Amino acid sequence: MAAITRLAKRAFVVSSLARRCLSSSVVNCHAPPHDATPFRPFPLREDSSKRCVQWVFLGCPGVGKGTYASRLSNLLGVPHIATGDLVRDELTSSGPLSSQLSEIVKQGQLVSDEIIISLLSKRLVAGEAKGDLGFILDGFPRTIKQAEILEGVTDIDLVINLKLREDVLLEKCLGRRICNQCGGNFNVASINIKAENGSPGIIMAPLLPPENCISKLITRSDDTEAVVKERLRIYNEMTQPVEEFYRSRGKLLEFNLPGGIPESWPKLLHALNLDDYEDKRSAAA
């Protein structure tokens, strides 16, 4: 725990950034379900360079946290920080943690708090040095300990918890592909589940690569059925208390994905009261 505390102190400089942002934002943290009246988590401004959001995306592996966090990052002009990307960057860096991380990933285990906090601290400090005014975290925190440490070093405005039924998650994960040349992420799964027993149907079209990437597609080494199921089991066991941690603080927005990006993105924007803002940005482009 002492080691984790030391690592957290390295990132404490971001707390001053959080205070500056929150002092200029009106935050409504009481988030309704995605089909209820939308709320306004911060005031929309014409000058996006002065906007600050400090949001977290939660959700099972493969649910689409990276996709929606990245879209919101582009829309709002704040960095998208994915702990999964931080881990993969470290894996390819031949750094001191790369061999340890390689074994953890192959076995489908979650990376330890200490390693994640070390990587995230380094990224947040680098972001502040570049002048970042906020962030959207993807894949962190995953444990109560991580949530408590994060709360101690910065203020989180909103936690968006993406939900998707497990059979769809499994099919999505097994369909993931990466182009080993351009690094693009694609998905070859074509999901069409009919509504039954009161459960809504779900349609998700594949996200196919351009022709020049087709022959270069590879599957992530950890995207096997056994590993994916183990990741989902561990996630549910460890992260449900994190959901309650933020729910009890009035910061949790639970969003049930109704389908793929075309169906889900407009509804997510509506839940965040950002649909009109996207229209304005598109008109100004």
Side-chain angles (χ1 to χ4, degrees):
M1 183 63 193
I4 294 175
T5 303
R6 289 196 299 273
L7 289 169
K9 287 180 179 178
R10 291 170 52 197
F12 189 76
V13 293
V14 302
S15 62
S16 61
L17 173 64
R19 285 193 294 271
R20 289 200 303 272
C21 295
L22 289 175
S23 66
S24 61
S25 299
V26 179
V27 180
N28 181 352
C29 295
H30 298 285
H34 80 266
D35 55 350
T37 302
F39 67 100
R40 189 176 298 276
F42 60 91
L44 299 180
R45 300 174 183 164
E46 294 303 319
D47 183 359
S48 62
S49 66
K50 295 181 181 178
R51 177 178 298 107
C52 173
V53 299
Q54 298 185 171
W55 291 355
V56 167
F57 265 84
L58 296 181
C60 289
V63 75
K65 297 185 297 295
T67 297
Y68 295 102
S70 179
R71 282 178 166 242
L72 284 170
S73 167
N74 292 332
L75 181 66
L76 301 174
V78 296
H80 165 212
I81 303 174
T83 54
D85 289 342
L86 296 180
V87 169
R88 283 186 281 275
D89 288 345
E90 185 69 20
L91 280 168
T92 59
S93 71
S94 68
L97 295 175
S98 59
S99 58
Q100 182 182 354
L101 284 171
S102 179
E103 287 303 311
I104 292 171
V105 170
K106 284 179 182 176
Q107 294 172 20
Q109 301 296 313
L110 292 180
V111 180
S112 71
D113 291 347
E114 187 166 286
I115 291 175
I116 289 293
I117 291 165
S118 176
L119 296 174
L120 181 59
S121 297
K122 184 167 66 172
R123 172 63 182 84
L124 291 176
V125 170
E128 188 194 29
K130 292 189 303 180
D132 289 347
L133 292 176
F135 51 79
I136 296 176
L137 293 182
D138 164 9
F140 184 92
R142 283 182 170 175
T143 67
I144 286 291
K145 185 187 295 184
Q146 290 176 354
E148 290 172 344
I149 292 172
L150 185 62
E151 190 174 65
V153 300
T154 191
D155 294 298
I156 297 301
D157 306 331
L158 176 68
V159 178
I160 303 165
N161 188 26
L162 298 182
K163 298 277 196 176
L164 190 63
R165 47 192 280 184
E166 189 165 316
D167 55 341
V168 177
L169 277 170
L170 180 60
E171 196 168 343
K172 274 192 67 185
C173 288
L174 296 181
R176 291 194 294 197
R177 299 292 186 273
I178 302 171
C179 175
N180 64 7
Q181 180 171 312
C182 72
N185 289 282
F186 307 101
N187 200 302
V188 299
S190 181
I191 299 170
N192 188 349
I193 298 177
K194 299 186 187 311
E196 60 180 6
N197 300 325
S199 297
I202 294 180
I203 297 176
M204 291 187 173
L207 180 61
L208 299 176
E211 189 173 341
N212 59 307
C213 290
I214 291 176
S215 63
K216 305 176 184 67
L217 294 184
I218 59 173
T219 303
R220 279 172 38 173
S221 60
D222 56 334
D223 276 346
T224 65
E225 184 170 351
V227 170
V228 170
K229 285 183 175 179
E230 179 65 4
R231 282 207 308 265
L232 293 176
R233 184 193 68 78
I234 294 173
Y235 177 87
N236 288 327
E237 181 179 292
M238 297 185 69
T239 311
Q240 283 181 359
V242 178
E243 295 175 12
E244 185 53 40
F245 178 89
Y246 287 114
R247 185 180 292 110
S248 67
R249 287 158 174 76
K251 296 185 177 183
L252 188 71
L253 169 66
E254 306 217 64
F255 185 84
N256 292 297
L257 292 165
I261 295 172
E263 297 82 16
S264 300
W265 177 240
K267 288 183 170 61
L268 179 59
L269 289 179
H270 184 70
L272 296 170
N273 203 31
L274 291 173
D275 36 7
D276 290 342
Y277 180 65
E278 185 183 46
D279 292 341
K280 291 177 183 177
R281 285 289 298 270
S282 298

